[in-house]
């Protein structure tokens, strides 16, 4: 039986999940709290759920199937994670917590590899493998929170991959991270090498997102 992955589901998707499994709708609110605000590492930690429901969840769902393959902690507190998804593909994600400041910034990857191929970039040298889903991007932040026992306050989409070449899933992830995890739009930054049509499209969303341009050269040929 395929288990439902809960990480990255919206409130209404959690409602669909609980009602499809013959549970009252308020269970969605309880799950939402433990997934996004606490954050729980297993169902037994969800202590305001009945024991019966927790046992049922173990049969029908997983919190996440993303594993931490490697973790490196630097002297300044920065933590670099190598995460492995269910298909065995890996990405890096980083938690930056300089000088014990209250703001904790996660650097999120949006693709496995990258097709842009900037000469200075190790990811570019790998070539493009696949896009990450919105759920996989959200799982990066959730995995950091669970592992580091913290609440991420700021995000930069500046990890592996070009976010605007995975536009639909990146903007979906931004919406989930804003709505479900309550990370303010002004605290999120999308970094692009300059995919101009998608920059205009991003502007039409009329959100208070930050945009960072990582040009390195005025022309694509020179950048390569
Ligand atoms: S766009 Fe970003 S991830 Fe892709 S090759 Fe260039 S620097 Fe690397």
């Amino acid at each position: 039986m395929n288990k439902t992955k809960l990480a990255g589901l919206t409130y209404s998707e959690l409602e669909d999940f609980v009602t499809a499994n013959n549970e009252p709708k308020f269970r969605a609110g309880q799950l939402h709290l433990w997934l996004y605000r606490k954050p729980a590492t297993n169902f037994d930690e969800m202590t305001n759920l009945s024991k019966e429901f927790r046992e049922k969840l173990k049969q029908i769902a997983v919190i996440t199937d993303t594993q931490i393959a490697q973790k490196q902690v630097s002297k300044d507190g920065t933590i670099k994670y190598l995460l492995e998804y269910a298909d065995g593909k890996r990405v890096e994600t980083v938690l930056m917590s300089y000088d014990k400041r209250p703001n904790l910034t996660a650097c999120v990857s949006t693709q496995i590899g990258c097709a842009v191929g900037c000469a200075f970039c190790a990811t570019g040298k790998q070539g493009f493998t696949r896009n990450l889903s919105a759920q996989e991007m959200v799982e990066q932040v959730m995995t950091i929170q669970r592992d580091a026992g913290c609440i991420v306050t700021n995000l930069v989409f500046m990890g592996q991959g070009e976010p605007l070449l995975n536009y639909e899933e990146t903007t979906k992830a931004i919406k989930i991270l804003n709505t479900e995890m309550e990370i303010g739009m002004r605290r999120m930054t999308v970094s692009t090498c300059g995919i101009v049509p998608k920059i205009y499209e991003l502007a039409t969303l009329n959100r208070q997102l930050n945009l960072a341009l990582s040009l390195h050269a005025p022309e694509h040929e020179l950048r390569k």
Side-chain angles (χ1 to χ4, degrees), residues 61-105:
V62 291
I63 294 176
T64 180
D65 52 11
T66 301
Q67 306 288 329
I68 297 173
Q70 275 179 36
K71 176 180 169 184
Q72 293 173 292
V73 184
S74 77
K75 281 188 212 146
D76 68 3
T78 300
I79 307 175
K80 185 163 95 172
Y81 295 92
L82 183 65
L83 301 185
E84 184 171 308
Y85 293 112
D87 66 356
K89 301 293 183 229
R90 293 178 168 191
V91 288
E92 290 178 359
T93 188
V94 179
L95 174 66
M96 294 169 279
S97 55
Y98 300 117
D99 306 326
K100 302 194 187 315
R101 285 184 210 156
N103 288 354
L104 295 174
T105 301

Side-chain angles (χ1 to χ4, degrees), residues 150-165:
C150 65
I151 296 293
V152 169
T153 57
N154 296 54
L155 290 175
V156 287
F157 290 84
M158 206 178 275
Q160 293 172 300
E162 164 51 59
L164 296 187
L165 290 180

Side-chain angles (χ1 to χ4, degrees), residues 18 34 49 79-81 97 99 107 113 120 163 223:
V18 294
W34 286 108
L49 303 183
I79 307 175
K80 185 163 95 172
Y81 295 92
S97 55
D99 306 326
C107 179
F120 54 83
R223 180 183 173 92

Side-chain angles (χ1 to χ4, degrees), residues 172-191:
K172 187 175 169 191
I174 287 168
K175 189 161 179 262
I176 295 170
L177 289 158
N178 176 244
T179 308
E180 315 305 332
M181 298 185 74
E182 298 180 16
I183 299 173
M185 285 285 176
R186 290 184 192 184
R187 290 175 176 266
M188 293 194 231
T189 299
V190 174
S191 175

Side-chain angles (χ1 to χ4, degrees), residues 23-24 26-27 30-31 34 43-44 46-58:
E23 294 288 336
F26 73 84
R27 295 279 189 219
Q30 293 175 315
L31 282 174
W34 286 108
F43 292 123
D44 286 327
M46 301 181 178
T47 48
N48 64 344
L49 303 183
S50 68
K51 190 163 187 305
E52 292 72 27
F53 185 44
R54 278 183 268 152
E55 292 306 316
K56 186 174 177 180
L57 283 170
K58 290 176 194 172

Side-chain angles (χ1 to χ4, degrees), residues 114 116-118 120-121 123-124 159 161-162 193 223:
C114 182
V116 180
C118 305
F120 54 83
C121 174
T123 304
E162 164 51 59
C193 65
R223 180 183 173 92

Side-chain angles (χ1 to χ4, degrees), residues 172-222:
K172 187 175 169 191
I174 287 168
K175 189 161 179 262
I176 295 170
L177 289 158
N178 176 244
T179 308
E180 315 305 332
M181 298 185 74
E182 298 180 16
I183 299 173
M185 285 285 176
R186 290 184 192 184
R187 290 175 176 266
M188 293 194 231
T189 299
V190 174
S191 175
T192 178
C193 65
I195 311 296
V196 176
K198 291 296 179 186
I199 292 174
Y200 283 117
E201 195 172 337
L202 194 64
T204 65
L205 296 181
N206 209 16
R207 303 284 184 192
Q208 292 176 309
L209 276 172
N210 301 296
L211 183 74
L213 283 174
S214 168
L215 295 178
H216 296 276
E219 297 164 357
H220 185 57
E221 286 311 308
L222 188 57

